Amino acid sequence: MEMLKMIGEMAIGAVVLLGACIGAISAFGLIRLPDIYLRSHAATKSATVGVLLILAAAFLYFLLYLDHVSVKLLLGIVFVFLTAPVAGHLTGRAAYRSGVSLWKGSVRDDLKQEDSSAQGPL
């Protein structure tokens, strides 16, 4: 029983550490990436995964060591999973519609209209 407890603690610690590392990579991406569209990608994808891993580790801790199913943590996981990517998408879309230019190294603009009669971004 003591061995299982130690393995569980190590697994939970590894999940927390992985989530923290992914969050740090996300912060590094926010600093280093050149435009709002790439920064939005770093903020929504990796930060969401990092937060979800940390919340999942907290949920596992409560479940395995306190014998308590935390509905608040489950709701937090679902809320972050649904809202963070949507918020990032809407931020990028609003930036595009307001005319924020793409990074000069961008090779593709999927939202750009093909005809020359277009009045700017969608």
Side-chain angles (χ1 to χ4, degrees):
M1 191 63 157
E2 193 65 32
M3 185 66 156
L4 285 175
K5 199 170 203 179
M6 188 174 73
I7 291 172
E9 288 174 359
M10 291 179 73
I12 291 171
V15 172
V16 168
L17 185 62
L18 180 63
C21 288
I22 291 174
I25 291 170
S26 175
F28 186 70
L30 286 172
I31 294 169
R32 296 287 298 163
L33 292 173
D35 69 349
I36 190 168
Y37 307 107
L38 296 173
R39 288 179 185 158
S40 174
H41 181 75
T44 57
K45 302 293 189 261
S46 56
T48 301
V49 171
V51 168
L52 289 177
L53 285 172
I54 292 171
L55 288 175
F59 177 78
L60 287 175
Y61 175 79
F62 283 122
L63 182 65
L64 297 176
Y65 293 100
L66 302 178
D67 294 326
H68 175 71
V69 176
S70 177
V71 176
K72 290 179 184 178
L73 279 173
L74 287 176
L75 288 174
I77 289 169
V78 169
F79 183 75
V80 169
F81 183 72
L82 293 176
T83 59
V86 171
H89 173 75
L90 292 177
T91 302
R93 187 71 134 175
Y96 189 82
R97 285 186 176 192
S98 65
V100 176
S101 62
L102 294 164
W103 173 50
K104 64 182 175 184
S106 296
V107 295
R108 189 170 159 179
D109 184 1
D110 288 339
L111 296 177
K112 186 177 181 181
Q113 293 181 350
E114 293 298 323
D115 62 347
S116 59
S117 64
Q119 297 290 329
L122 293 174

